[in-house]
PDB file of all heavy atoms in Angstrom:
ATOM      1  N   ILE U   7       7.685 -11.779   4.915  1.00 97.00           N
ATOM      2  CA  ILE U   7       6.845 -11.915   3.716  1.00 97.00           C
ATOM      3  C   ILE U   7       7.382 -10.958   2.680  1.00 97.00           C
ATOM      4  O   ILE U   7       7.550 -11.403   1.481  1.00 97.00           O
ATOM      5  CB  ILE U   7       5.397 -11.644   4.015  1.00 97.00           C
ATOM      6  CG1 ILE U   7       4.854 -12.760   4.947  1.00 97.00           C
ATOM      7  CG2 ILE U   7       4.586 -11.534   2.742  1.00 97.00           C
ATOM      8  CD1 ILE U   7       3.455 -12.486   5.419  1.00 97.00           C
ATOM      9  N   ARG U   8       7.742  -9.749   2.955  1.00 96.00           N
ATOM     10  CA  ARG U   8       8.214  -8.786   1.961  1.00 96.00           C
ATOM     11  C   ARG U   8       9.578  -9.408   1.419  1.00 96.00           C
ATOM     12  O   ARG U   8       9.724  -9.380   0.129  1.00 96.00           O
ATOM     13  CB  ARG U   8       8.572  -7.535   2.571  1.00 96.00           C
ATOM     14  CG  ARG U   8       9.177  -6.534   1.556  1.00 96.00           C
ATOM     15  CD  ARG U   8       9.760  -5.280   2.181  1.00 96.00           C
ATOM     16  NE  ARG U   8      11.007  -5.675   2.904  1.00 96.00           N
ATOM     17  CZ  ARG U   8      11.299  -5.208   4.103  1.00 96.00           C
ATOM     18  NH1 ARG U   8      10.563  -4.330   4.767  1.00 96.00           N
ATOM     19  NH2 ARG U   8      12.421  -5.634   4.687  1.00 96.00           N
ATOM     20  N   MET U   9      10.430  -9.932   2.243  1.00 96.00           N
ATOM     21  CA  MET U   9      11.738 -10.420   1.666  1.00 96.00           C
ATOM     22  C   MET U   9      11.435 -11.642   0.709  1.00 96.00           C
ATOM     23  O   MET U   9      12.050 -11.715  -0.362  1.00 96.00           O
ATOM     24  CB  MET U   9      12.598 -10.830   2.858  1.00 96.00           C
ATOM     25  CG  MET U   9      13.175  -9.616   3.584  1.00 96.00           C
ATOM     26  SD  MET U   9      14.146 -10.008   5.045  1.00 96.00           S
ATOM     27  CE  MET U   9      15.301 -11.235   4.397  1.00 96.00           C
ATOM     28  N   ILE U  10      10.593 -12.567   1.137  1.00 97.00           N
ATOM     29  CA  ILE U  10      10.343 -13.682   0.270  1.00 97.00           C
ATOM     30  C   ILE U  10       9.774 -13.263  -1.117  1.00 97.00           C
ATOM     31  O   ILE U  10      10.225 -13.714  -2.195  1.00 97.00           O
ATOM     32  CB  ILE U  10       9.249 -14.648   1.006  1.00 97.00           C
ATOM     33  CG1 ILE U  10       9.952 -15.263   2.180  1.00 97.00           C
ATOM     34  CG2 ILE U  10       8.841 -15.697  -0.050  1.00 97.00           C
ATOM     35  CD1 ILE U  10       8.922 -16.125   3.079  1.00 97.00           C
ATOM     36  N   LEU U  11       8.818 -12.381  -1.075  1.00 97.00           N
ATOM     37  CA  LEU U  11       8.135 -11.885  -2.321  1.00 97.00           C
ATOM     38  C   LEU U  11       9.181 -11.045  -3.158  1.00 97.00           C
ATOM     39  O   LEU U  11       9.289 -11.221  -4.403  1.00 97.00           O
ATOM     40  CB  LEU U  11       6.924 -11.082  -1.992  1.00 97.00           C
ATOM     41  CG  LEU U  11       5.757 -11.885  -1.448  1.00 97.00           C
ATOM     42  CD1 LEU U  11       4.657 -10.927  -1.068  1.00 97.00           C
ATOM     43  CD2 LEU U  11       5.292 -12.905  -2.380  1.00 97.00           C
ATOM     44  N   ALA U  12       9.880 -10.190  -2.539  1.00 97.00           N
ATOM     45  CA  ALA U  12      10.866  -9.300  -3.225  1.00 97.00           C
ATOM     46  C   ALA U  12      11.924 -10.161  -3.873  1.00 97.00           C
ATOM     47  O   ALA U  12      12.386  -9.901  -5.061  1.00 97.00           O
ATOM     48  CB  ALA U  12      11.371  -8.197  -2.323  1.00 97.00           C
ATOM     49  N   ASN U  13      12.452 -11.128  -3.124  1.00 96.00           N
ATOM     50  CA  ASN U  13      13.481 -11.973  -3.676  1.00 96.00           C
ATOM     51  C   ASN U  13      12.994 -12.855  -4.908  1.00 96.00           C
ATOM     52  O   ASN U  13      13.785 -13.278  -5.733  1.00 96.00           O
ATOM     53  CB  ASN U  13      14.045 -12.978  -2.571  1.00 96.00           C
ATOM     54  CG  ASN U  13      14.922 -12.189  -1.620  1.00 96.00           C
ATOM     55  OD1 ASN U  13      15.457 -11.141  -1.925  1.00 96.00           O
ATOM     56  ND2 ASN U  13      15.125 -12.718  -0.441  1.00 96.00           N
ATOM     57  N   ALA U  14      11.663 -13.090  -4.913  1.00 96.00           N
ATOM     58  CA  ALA U  14      11.082 -13.828  -6.000  1.00 96.00           C
ATOM     59  C   ALA U  14      10.746 -12.991  -7.214  1.00 96.00           C
ATOM     60  O   ALA U  14      10.476 -13.526  -8.278  1.00 96.00           O
ATOM     61  CB  ALA U  14       9.796 -14.551  -5.522  1.00 96.00           C
ATOM     62  N   GLY U  15      10.918 -11.606  -7.024  1.00 96.00           N
ATOM     63  CA  GLY U  15      10.739 -10.707  -8.132  1.00 96.00           C
ATOM     64  C   GLY U  15       9.427  -9.913  -8.022  1.00 96.00           C
ATOM     65  O   GLY U  15       9.084  -9.196  -9.084  1.00 96.00           O
ATOM     66  N   TYR U  16       8.796  -9.856  -6.919  1.00 96.00           N
ATOM     67  CA  TYR U  16       7.584  -8.999  -6.775  1.00 96.00           C
ATOM     68  C   TYR U  16       7.949  -7.634  -6.203  1.00 96.00           C
ATOM     69  O   TYR U  16       8.860  -7.611  -5.425  1.00 96.00           O
ATOM     70  CB  TYR U  16       6.582  -9.684  -5.892  1.00 96.00           C
ATOM     71  CG  TYR U  16       5.934 -11.015  -6.396  1.00 96.00           C
ATOM     72  CD1 TYR U  16       6.511 -12.178  -6.197  1.00 96.00           C
ATOM     73  CD2 TYR U  16       4.822 -10.866  -7.263  1.00 96.00           C
ATOM     74  CE1 TYR U  16       5.929 -13.329  -6.685  1.00 96.00           C
ATOM     75  CE2 TYR U  16       4.258 -12.008  -7.757  1.00 96.00           C
ATOM     76  CZ  TYR U  16       4.811 -13.242  -7.527  1.00 96.00           C
ATOM     77  OH  TYR U  16       4.233 -14.409  -8.117  1.00 96.00           O
ATOM     78  N   GLU U  17       7.170  -6.710  -6.564  1.00 94.00           N
ATOM     79  CA  GLU U  17       7.299  -5.349  -5.948  1.00 94.00           C
ATOM     80  C   GLU U  17       6.287  -5.446  -4.764  1.00 94.00           C
ATOM     81  O   GLU U  17       5.142  -5.803  -4.958  1.00 94.00           O
ATOM     82  CB  GLU U  17       6.838  -4.214  -6.939  1.00 94.00           C
ATOM     83  CG  GLU U  17       6.928  -2.845  -6.373  1.00 94.00           C
ATOM     84  CD  GLU U  17       6.453  -1.769  -7.323  1.00 94.00           C
ATOM     85  OE1 GLU U  17       6.484  -2.049  -8.564  1.00 94.00           O
ATOM     86  OE2 GLU U  17       6.035  -0.763  -6.924  1.00 94.00           O
ATOM     87  N   VAL U  18       6.743  -4.989  -3.606  1.00 96.00           N
ATOM     88  CA  VAL U  18       5.953  -5.136  -2.389  1.00 96.00           C
ATOM     89  C   VAL U  18       5.709  -3.855  -1.670  1.00 96.00           C
ATOM     90  O   VAL U  18       6.651  -3.043  -1.445  1.00 96.00           O
ATOM     91  CB  VAL U  18       6.603  -6.150  -1.339  1.00 96.00           C
ATOM     92  CG1 VAL U  18       5.819  -6.413  -0.148  1.00 96.00           C
ATOM     93  CG2 VAL U  18       6.966  -7.526  -2.064  1.00 96.00           C
ATOM     94  N   ALA U  19       4.391  -3.604  -1.387  1.00 95.00           N
ATOM     95  CA  ALA U  19       4.118  -2.461  -0.493  1.00 95.00           C
ATOM     96  C   ALA U  19       3.632  -3.001   0.815  1.00 95.00           C
ATOM     97  O   ALA U  19       3.137  -4.107   0.893  1.00 95.00           O
ATOM     98  CB  ALA U  19       2.972  -1.635  -1.169  1.00 95.00           C
ATOM     99  N   GLU U  20       3.945  -2.291   1.918  1.00 96.00           N
ATOM    100  CA  GLU U  20       3.539  -2.860   3.240  1.00 96.00           C
ATOM    101  C   GLU U  20       2.645  -1.884   3.956  1.00 96.00           C
ATOM    102  O   GLU U  20       2.768  -0.667   3.876  1.00 96.00           O
ATOM    103  CB  GLU U  20       4.856  -2.938   4.091  1.00 96.00           C
ATOM    104  CG  GLU U  20       5.813  -3.937   3.536  1.00 96.00           C
ATOM    105  CD  GLU U  20       7.045  -3.897   4.478  1.00 96.00           C
ATOM    106  OE1 GLU U  20       6.926  -4.236   5.704  1.00 96.00           O
ATOM    107  OE2 GLU U  20       8.180  -3.670   3.968  1.00 96.00           O
ATOM    108  N   ALA U  21       1.797  -2.457   4.724  1.00 94.00           N
ATOM    109  CA  ALA U  21       0.830  -1.718   5.648  1.00 94.00           C
ATOM    110  C   ALA U  21       0.787  -2.506   6.942  1.00 94.00           C
ATOM    111  O   ALA U  21       0.634  -3.641   6.947  1.00 94.00           O
ATOM    112  CB  ALA U  21      -0.474  -1.618   4.945  1.00 94.00           C
ATOM    113  N   ALA U  22       0.934  -1.701   7.993  1.00 93.00           N
ATOM    114  CA  ALA U  22       0.850  -2.232   9.370  1.00 93.00           C
ATOM    115  C   ALA U  22      -0.614  -2.427   9.843  1.00 93.00           C
ATOM    116  O   ALA U  22      -0.763  -3.078  10.897  1.00 93.00           O
ATOM    117  CB  ALA U  22       1.640  -1.365  10.367  1.00 93.00           C
ATOM    118  N   ASN U  23      -1.570  -1.915   9.223  1.00 92.00           N
ATOM    119  CA  ASN U  23      -2.962  -2.079   9.561  1.00 92.00           C
ATOM    120  C   ASN U  23      -3.862  -1.760   8.434  1.00 92.00           C
ATOM    121  O   ASN U  23      -3.407  -1.342   7.302  1.00 92.00           O
ATOM    122  CB  ASN U  23      -3.336  -1.150  10.786  1.00 92.00           C
ATOM    123  CG  ASN U  23      -3.023   0.256  10.564  1.00 92.00           C
ATOM    124  OD1 ASN U  23      -3.566   0.835   9.630  1.00 92.00           O
ATOM    125  ND2 ASN U  23      -2.140   0.934  11.380  1.00 92.00           N
ATOM    126  N   GLY U  24      -5.171  -1.970   8.624  1.00 90.00           N
ATOM    127  CA  GLY U  24      -6.083  -1.702   7.585  1.00 90.00           C
ATOM    128  C   GLY U  24      -6.177  -0.294   7.088  1.00 90.00           C
ATOM    129  O   GLY U  24      -6.361  -0.018   5.893  1.00 90.00           O
ATOM    130  N   GLU U  25      -6.089   0.664   7.973  1.00 91.00           N
ATOM    131  CA  GLU U  25      -6.134   2.092   7.635  1.00 91.00           C
ATOM    132  C   GLU U  25      -5.008   2.382   6.662  1.00 91.00           C
ATOM    133  O   GLU U  25      -5.181   3.124   5.629  1.00 91.00           O
ATOM    134  CB  GLU U  25      -6.095   2.986   8.811  1.00 91.00           C
ATOM    135  CG  GLU U  25      -7.323   2.960   9.648  1.00 91.00           C
ATOM    136  CD  GLU U  25      -7.222   3.765  10.897  1.00 91.00           C
ATOM    137  OE1 GLU U  25      -6.145   4.246  11.263  1.00 91.00           O
ATOM    138  OE2 GLU U  25      -8.299   3.897  11.550  1.00 91.00           O
ATOM    139  N   GLU U  26      -3.772   1.972   6.942  1.00 92.00           N
ATOM    140  CA  GLU U  26      -2.657   2.135   6.139  1.00 92.00           C
ATOM    141  C   GLU U  26      -2.890   1.541   4.724  1.00 92.00           C
ATOM    142  O   GLU U  26      -2.568   2.016   3.655  1.00 92.00           O
ATOM    143  CB  GLU U  26      -1.403   1.565   6.630  1.00 92.00           C
ATOM    144  CG  GLU U  26      -0.709   2.468   7.772  1.00 92.00           C
ATOM    145  CD  GLU U  26       0.592   1.909   8.242  1.00 92.00           C
ATOM    146  OE1 GLU U  26       1.278   1.075   7.544  1.00 92.00           O
ATOM    147  OE2 GLU U  26       0.951   2.188   9.409  1.00 92.00           O
ATOM    148  N   ALA U  27      -3.434   0.276   4.663  1.00 91.00           N
ATOM    149  CA  ALA U  27      -3.692  -0.455   3.456  1.00 91.00           C
ATOM    150  C   ALA U  27      -4.642   0.414   2.578  1.00 91.00           C
ATOM    151  O   ALA U  27      -4.380   0.515   1.380  1.00 91.00           O
ATOM    152  CB  ALA U  27      -4.282  -1.785   3.706  1.00 91.00           C
ATOM    153  N   ILE U  28      -5.743   0.872   3.148  1.00 90.00           N
ATOM    154  CA  ILE U  28      -6.607   1.707   2.354  1.00 90.00           C
ATOM    155  C   ILE U  28      -5.960   2.953   1.804  1.00 90.00           C
ATOM    156  O   ILE U  28      -6.112   3.291   0.656  1.00 90.00           O
ATOM    157  CB  ILE U  28      -7.871   2.092   3.215  1.00 90.00           C
ATOM    158  CG1 ILE U  28      -8.694   0.746   3.544  1.00 90.00           C
ATOM    159  CG2 ILE U  28      -8.692   3.125   2.568  1.00 90.00           C
ATOM    160  CD1 ILE U  28      -9.728   0.951   4.582  1.00 90.00           C
ATOM    161  N   GLU U  29      -5.139   3.600   2.603  1.00 90.00           N
ATOM    162  CA  GLU U  29      -4.426   4.786   2.199  1.00 90.00           C
ATOM    163  C   GLU U  29      -3.516   4.413   1.003  1.00 90.00           C
ATOM    164  O   GLU U  29      -3.441   5.253   0.027  1.00 90.00           O
ATOM    165  CB  GLU U  29      -3.600   5.444   3.233  1.00 90.00           C
ATOM    166  CG  GLU U  29      -4.427   6.059   4.334  1.00 90.00           C
ATOM    167  CD  GLU U  29      -3.652   6.540   5.585  1.00 90.00           C
ATOM    168  OE1 GLU U  29      -2.403   6.495   5.587  1.00 90.00           O
ATOM    169  OE2 GLU U  29      -4.257   6.921   6.582  1.00 90.00           O
ATOM    170  N   ILE U  30      -2.786   3.389   1.132  1.00 91.00           N
ATOM    171  CA  ILE U  30      -1.822   2.986  -0.007  1.00 91.00           C
ATOM    172  C   ILE U  30      -2.589   2.690  -1.244  1.00 91.00           C
ATOM    173  O   ILE U  30      -2.243   3.119  -2.326  1.00 91.00           O
ATOM    174  CB  ILE U  30      -1.055   1.670   0.432  1.00 91.00           C
ATOM    175  CG1 ILE U  30      -0.037   2.074   1.490  1.00 91.00           C
ATOM    176  CG2 ILE U  30      -0.371   1.076  -0.828  1.00 91.00           C
ATOM    177  CD1 ILE U  30       0.666   0.917   2.168  1.00 91.00           C
ATOM    178  N   LEU U  31      -3.707   1.977  -1.197  1.00 89.00           N
ATOM    179  CA  LEU U  31      -4.521   1.713  -2.360  1.00 89.00           C
ATOM    180  C   LEU U  31      -5.099   2.945  -2.999  1.00 89.00           C
ATOM    181  O   LEU U  31      -5.078   3.112  -4.202  1.00 89.00           O
ATOM    182  CB  LEU U  31      -5.646   0.693  -2.062  1.00 89.00           C
ATOM    183  CG  LEU U  31      -5.154  -0.669  -1.913  1.00 89.00           C
ATOM    184  CD1 LEU U  31      -6.305  -1.584  -1.449  1.00 89.00           C
ATOM    185  CD2 LEU U  31      -4.672  -1.272  -3.241  1.00 89.00           C
ATOM    186  N   GLN U  32      -5.580   3.877  -2.118  1.00 87.00           N
ATOM    187  CA  GLN U  32      -6.183   5.146  -2.644  1.00 87.00           C
ATOM    188  C   GLN U  32      -5.100   6.026  -3.263  1.00 87.00           C
ATOM    189  O   GLN U  32      -5.381   6.734  -4.192  1.00 87.00           O
ATOM    190  CB  GLN U  32      -6.869   5.873  -1.543  1.00 87.00           C
ATOM    191  CG  GLN U  32      -8.167   5.222  -1.097  1.00 87.00           C
ATOM    192  CD  GLN U  32      -8.814   5.857   0.102  1.00 87.00           C
ATOM    193  OE1 GLN U  32      -8.187   6.684   0.812  1.00 87.00           O
ATOM    194  NE2 GLN U  32     -10.050   5.483   0.306  1.00 87.00           N
ATOM    195  N   ALA U  33      -3.828   5.896  -2.807  1.00 86.00           N
ATOM    196  CA  ALA U  33      -2.760   6.703  -3.381  1.00 86.00           C
ATOM    197  C   ALA U  33      -2.135   6.138  -4.555  1.00 86.00           C
ATOM    198  O   ALA U  33      -1.427   6.745  -5.338  1.00 86.00           O
ATOM    199  CB  ALA U  33      -1.684   6.988  -2.284  1.00 86.00           C
ATOM    200  N   SER U  34      -2.373   4.787  -4.896  1.00 77.00           N
ATOM    201  CA  SER U  34      -1.770   4.111  -5.937  1.00 77.00           C
ATOM    202  C   SER U  34      -2.387   4.624  -7.230  1.00 77.00           C
ATOM    203  O   SER U  34      -3.534   4.937  -7.338  1.00 77.00           O
ATOM    204  CB  SER U  34      -1.890   2.559  -5.840  1.00 77.00           C
ATOM    205  OG  SER U  34      -1.226   2.103  -4.771  1.00 77.00           O
ATOM    206  N   GLU U  35      -1.632   4.559  -8.342  1.00 67.00           N
ATOM    207  CA  GLU U  35      -2.090   4.940  -9.618  1.00 67.00           C
ATOM    208  C   GLU U  35      -2.739   3.876 -10.471  1.00 67.00           C
ATOM    209  O   GLU U  35      -2.368   2.666 -10.286  1.00 67.00           O
ATOM    210  CB  GLU U  35      -0.972   5.649 -10.459  1.00 67.00           C
ATOM    211  CG  GLU U  35      -0.376   6.841  -9.776  1.00 67.00           C
ATOM    212  CD  GLU U  35       0.722   7.454 -10.494  1.00 67.00           C
ATOM    213  OE1 GLU U  35       0.815   7.140 -11.734  1.00 67.00           O
ATOM    214  OE2 GLU U  35       1.518   8.176  -9.938  1.00 67.00           O
ATOM    215  N   GLY U  36      -3.573   4.217 -11.406  1.00 62.00           N
ATOM    216  CA  GLY U  36      -4.158   3.274 -12.277  1.00 62.00           C
ATOM    217  C   GLY U  36      -5.357   2.625 -11.755  1.00 62.00           C
ATOM    218  O   GLY U  36      -5.658   2.610 -10.572  1.00 62.00           O
ATOM    219  N   PRO U  37      -6.120   1.952 -12.673  1.00 56.00           N
ATOM    220  CA  PRO U  37      -7.358   1.191 -12.295  1.00 56.00           C
ATOM    221  C   PRO U  37      -7.075  -0.072 -11.424  1.00 56.00           C
ATOM    222  O   PRO U  37      -7.950  -0.513 -10.796  1.00 56.00           O
ATOM    223  CB  PRO U  37      -7.939   0.798 -13.689  1.00 56.00           C
ATOM    224  CG  PRO U  37      -6.841   0.737 -14.590  1.00 56.00           C
ATOM    225  CD  PRO U  37      -5.869   1.785 -14.048  1.00 56.00           C
ATOM    226  N   ARG U  38      -5.893  -0.595 -11.554  1.00 59.00           N
ATOM    227  CA  ARG U  38      -5.532  -1.793 -10.712  1.00 59.00           C
ATOM    228  C   ARG U  38      -4.196  -1.531 -10.039  1.00 59.00           C
ATOM    229  O   ARG U  38      -3.182  -1.818 -10.600  1.00 59.00           O
ATOM    230  CB  ARG U  38      -5.472  -3.039 -11.629  1.00 59.00           C
ATOM    231  CG  ARG U  38      -5.271  -4.266 -10.828  1.00 59.00           C
ATOM    232  CD  ARG U  38      -5.456  -5.471 -11.775  1.00 59.00           C
ATOM    233  NE  ARG U  38      -5.279  -6.711 -11.042  1.00 59.00           N
ATOM    234  CZ  ARG U  38      -5.503  -7.845 -11.521  1.00 59.00           C
ATOM    235  NH1 ARG U  38      -5.930  -7.995 -12.721  1.00 59.00           N
ATOM    236  NH2 ARG U  38      -5.234  -8.965 -10.719  1.00 59.00           N
ATOM    237  N   PRO U  39      -4.250  -0.798  -8.903  1.00 79.00           N
ATOM    238  CA  PRO U  39      -3.052  -0.314  -8.228  1.00 79.00           C
ATOM    239  C   PRO U  39      -2.159  -1.472  -7.755  1.00 79.00           C
ATOM    240  O   PRO U  39      -0.965  -1.305  -7.566  1.00 79.00           O
ATOM    241  CB  PRO U  39      -3.534   0.574  -7.094  1.00 79.00           C
ATOM    242  CG  PRO U  39      -4.876   0.061  -6.848  1.00 79.00           C
ATOM    243  CD  PRO U  39      -5.433  -0.373  -8.124  1.00 79.00           C
ATOM    244  N   MET U  40      -2.721  -2.624  -7.434  1.00 92.00           N
ATOM    245  CA  MET U  40      -1.949  -3.768  -6.980  1.00 92.00           C
ATOM    246  C   MET U  40      -2.434  -4.969  -7.780  1.00 92.00           C
ATOM    247  O   MET U  40      -3.550  -5.050  -8.210  1.00 92.00           O
ATOM    248  CB  MET U  40      -2.226  -3.993  -5.478  1.00 92.00           C
ATOM    249  CG  MET U  40      -1.640  -2.943  -4.596  1.00 92.00           C
ATOM    250  SD  MET U  40       0.140  -2.978  -4.460  1.00 92.00           S
ATOM    251  CE  MET U  40       0.367  -1.387  -3.826  1.00 92.00           C
ATOM    252  N   ASP U  41      -1.515  -6.016  -7.858  1.00 93.00           N
ATOM    253  CA  ASP U  41      -1.945  -7.244  -8.538  1.00 93.00           C
ATOM    254  C   ASP U  41      -2.494  -8.276  -7.462  1.00 93.00           C
ATOM    255  O   ASP U  41      -3.165  -9.202  -7.930  1.00 93.00           O
ATOM    256  CB  ASP U  41      -0.738  -7.831  -9.229  1.00 93.00           C
ATOM    257  CG  ASP U  41      -0.314  -6.893 -10.356  1.00 93.00           C
ATOM    258  OD1 ASP U  41      -1.115  -6.703 -11.293  1.00 93.00           O
ATOM    259  OD2 ASP U  41       0.825  -6.395 -10.332  1.00 93.00           O
ATOM    260  N   ALA U  42      -2.191  -8.073  -6.233  1.00 94.00           N
ATOM    261  CA  ALA U  42      -2.653  -8.964  -5.154  1.00 94.00           C
ATOM    262  C   ALA U  42      -2.601  -8.313  -3.877  1.00 94.00           C
ATOM    263  O   ALA U  42      -1.683  -7.397  -3.680  1.00 94.00           O
ATOM    264  CB  ALA U  42      -1.972 -10.317  -5.133  1.00 94.00           C
ATOM    265  N   ILE U  43      -3.425  -8.692  -2.897  1.00 94.00           N
ATOM    266  CA  ILE U  43      -3.370  -8.206  -1.578  1.00 94.00           C
ATOM    267  C   ILE U  43      -3.238  -9.436  -0.608  1.00 94.00           C
ATOM    268  O   ILE U  43      -4.084 -10.321  -0.805  1.00 94.00           O
ATOM    269  CB  ILE U  43      -4.629  -7.414  -1.236  1.00 94.00           C
ATOM    270  CG1 ILE U  43      -4.723  -6.146  -2.095  1.00 94.00           C
ATOM    271  CG2 ILE U  43      -4.557  -6.968   0.296  1.00 94.00           C
ATOM    272  CD1 ILE U  43      -6.012  -5.468  -2.015  1.00 94.00           C
TER     273      ILE U  43
END
């Protein structure tokens, strides 16, 4: 999935589980740290 999205021009963050996802979002900057999950 990362390769498909990155090749299409998206910046991709990865998480192997829900805990990692929450940590990534909490560490991201700005009011909208990601455009989609």
Side-chain angles (χ1 to χ4, degrees):
I7 292 170
R8 179 195 66 223
M9 289 175 52
I10 291 168
L11 292 174
N13 287 339
Y16 291 94
E17 181 182 337
V18 182
E20 296 178 58
N23 58 57
E25 289 175 352
E26 282 184 23
I28 291 168
E29 289 173 11
I30 288 169
L31 283 171
Q32 289 175 344
S34 296
E35 296 179 20
R38 190 169 177 173
M40 294 290 161
D41 295 298
I43 299 168

